[in-house]
Amino acid sequence: MTAQIKDYAQLSPLLAGELKPGVLTNTLLKKEDYLREIAAGSLFAEKFPGGLLLLRRREGYQRLNFYLQRGASLPPLSFSLPTVLEIASRPRDQALRDSEALWEQAGFRPLFSRQRMARPEGLPPLPGREGLSAHVAAEEELPALERLLQECFDPLAGCLPTREELREDLQNGNVISLPGGILHMGKAPGGTELRHLAVTPSLRRQGAAQALFAAYLLHTENRASRVWVRTDNPPALGFYEKNGYTCDGWTSRVYTAGKEM
Amino acid sequence: MENREKLMEILTEACPGVNFEGETALIDDGILESLDIVAIVTEIMDVFGVELNVDDLLPENFNSVDAMLELIESRK
C-alpha cells in the first residue's frame, strides 16, 4: 500500500534496516533530500517484505527509487501515474544488473539506455564553423529555452529541469544559447556535466551544436566534462565521440510503468 | 587485508584517478557525486559487513578516507 510521507518520523522506521549488506538500490538520498520532498508533499512510500519503494512525484509523473534486499521478490505493482525507473550501473554491479529482470517481470517496460561518456580536461577543441557563435544565456531567455527543451526532450525521461531550476541555472551561468539552440550544464567531479544539448530541428546540420559546444568549452575553461547519451541516438553519440568523449563504463536503463503520459 | 587497504580498493575502483589519501573534502568539493556514493556505500556494506542508516549519509562521513574508516569502525 503506497502512503504519502508527511514527516520524517514516519519515514525513518521504513528506511531503518534497508542499508545493509546485499541491498540493491538505484539511489541514496540524504536526509535533507527527503526533508525537501516531504515539505513539497511529493514523497510516497511502499514497504514490502524485503524492500522499500520510494516514489517522488513530479508534474504528471513520478520517479521510483528502491531498496531491494538480495533475493527478495517485488510485490504486485500498480501505479496511478506514469512511473519512471532508472538503474545506473557499472559492469561489476552484476547483482544490480540482474535485478532489472525483476522490474520487467513486474510490468516495467524498457524505454531506452544511456551510456556515460567523459572528455578529459584540456583536450584541444575542434575548429568551429565561422559565422555561428553562442553566448552565456540571460535570464530573459527562460521562456524560449524552456520551450526548446520541452520540444527536444522526452517529458518523462529527459531529466528536464523545472522552471525554477532552469532559472537558477541561468542565473548561475550554466546555460549557453544561440537562437534555436541550448546547452545546459551542471557541476560534476573535476569539471562539469553536460545535461542537455539541443538544436531546433530546422537548424540542425548547420554547425549550431558545435558552436554551442565551443562556447561551453570556453566558458568552462576546457575542464573535464561528462555527458549521459542515449544509445539509440547515433548522431549524438557521433557528435560526442568526434569531440573527444569516450565511454567511462557507466550505463543506465530507463523503464516506465503505469499510465502512459 | 587491513581495513584501509580494503577501503582504498573500493574507492579506487569506484573513482579511478582520484587521490583519495590526499583529499579531505571529497563531498564538499564535488569530487564524489551521487552515483559514486551509491557504489561506495553499497560496497562498504558488502565488504565490511556493516549496516548503515540514512543519518550516516552525511558529507562529513565521506569527505575523507579517515572519516569513512571511522564510520565503518563505529558500525562494526
Side-chain angles (χ1 to χ4, degrees):
Chain A
M1 176 93 176
T2 306
Q4 183 176 3
I5 302 298
K6 295 185 176 163
D7 58 53
Y8 193 72
Q10 185 188 354
L11 179 66
S12 194
L14 300 180
L15 289 167
E18 292 297 345
L19 281 178
K20 61 186 180 192
V23 72
L24 303 173
T25 180
N26 64 341
T27 192
L28 281 177
L29 295 182
K30 301 185 291 294
K31 184 176 177 179
E32 66 195 68
D33 301 321
Y34 287 121
L35 291 174
R36 198 179 310 118
E37 297 281 351
I38 291 167
S42 57
L43 188 65
F44 293 75
E46 180 171 342
K47 184 89 169 168
F48 60 95
L52 175 69
L53 306 181
L54 292 165
L55 294 153
R56 292 186 287 156
R57 295 250 168 116
R58 296 294 180 259
E59 204 173 324
Y61 73 103
Q62 57 192 359
R63 299 189 72 85
L64 173 62
N65 300 127
F66 65 85
Y67 294 96
L68 187 62
Q69 301 303 326
R70 211 159 281 178
S73 305
L74 289 170
L77 298 174
S78 167
F79 300 109
S80 56
L81 282 175
T83 302
V84 177
L85 165 69
E86 181 159 10
I87 303 176
S89 63
R90 305 161 295 171
R92 62 177 294 165
D93 301 323
Q94 197 53 49
L96 189 57
R97 291 184 167 203
D98 291 345
S99 76
E100 291 174 2
L102 289 178
W103 297 101
E104 293 190 34
Q105 286 159 16
F108 277 82
R109 304 176 292 281
L111 271 184
F112 54 80
S113 297
R114 296 187 235 258
Q115 64 187 35
R116 198 169 76 176
M117 302 177 83
R119 183 182 194 275
E121 181 172 344
L123 201 66
L126 289 177
R129 195 180 292 186
E130 280 188 21
L132 271 174
S133 68
H135 57 272
V136 177
E139 196 176 341
E140 294 71 45
E141 296 176 62
L142 174 66
L145 295 174
E146 188 181 35
R147 271 197 306 278
L148 183 58
L149 285 173
Q150 288 166 351
E151 180 188 317
C152 296
F153 288 93
D154 186 317
L156 214 74
C159 303
L160 292 174
T162 63
R163 177 170 298 174
E164 282 319 303
E165 286 166 346
L166 186 56
R167 188 191 305 282
E168 198 175 314
D169 283 331
L170 283 161
Q171 289 166 348
N172 292 331
N174 288 335
V175 183
I176 307 280
S177 72
L178 49 69
I182 179 172
L183 187 154
H184 172 224
M185 73 188 94
K187 268 183 73 176
T192 56
E193 179 172 279
L194 202 163
R195 294 192 176 150
H196 299 92
L197 172 58
V199 174
T200 199
S202 63
L203 293 177
R204 288 180 191 162
R205 300 188 171 280
Q206 295 169 44
Q210 197 62 51
L212 287 162
F213 189 73
Y216 163 66
L217 290 184
L218 200 63
H219 183 58
T220 60
E221 297 173 332
N222 207 354
R223 295 188 70 201
S225 171
R226 284 179 177 177
V227 63
W228 284 91
V229 192
R230 281 176 63 150
T231 56
D232 60 355
N233 188 349
L237 291 167
F239 176 84
Y240 291 113
E241 282 167 5
K242 184 179 76 177
N243 280 289
Y245 288 80
T246 53
C247 299
D248 71 357
W250 278 96
T251 56
S252 84
R253 296 198 75 187
V254 181
Y255 297 88
T256 183
K259 279 188 183 169
E260 297 290 339
M261 199 162 181
Chain B
M1 201 189 289
E2 291 292 320
N3 284 352
R4 180 173 284 270
E5 282 176 69
K6 287 186 196 169
L7 179 60
M8 288 303 290
E9 203 170 287
I10 293 170
L11 296 173
T12 50
E13 176 66 38
C15 304
V18 173
N19 173 20
F20 282 100
E21 287 290 10
E23 295 289 350
T24 55
L26 290 163
I27 305 294
D28 294 341
D29 287 351
I31 296 164
L32 297 182
E33 60 178 351
S34 56
L35 275 184
D36 301 323
I37 296 293
V38 173
I40 289 167
V41 167
T42 51
E43 293 259 351
I44 282 177
M45 292 188 298
D46 286 354
V47 170
F48 293 97
V50 293
E51 194 168 323
L52 301 176
N53 63 55
V54 172
D55 293 340
D56 294 323
L57 304 179
L58 297 169
E60 53 262 41
N61 285 336
F62 293 90
N63 266 333
S64 67
V65 172
D66 286 340
M68 285 184 245
L69 282 170
E70 205 170 305
L71 174 67
I72 292 163
E73 283 301 326
S74 73
R75 291 293 173 268
K76 276 194 163 178

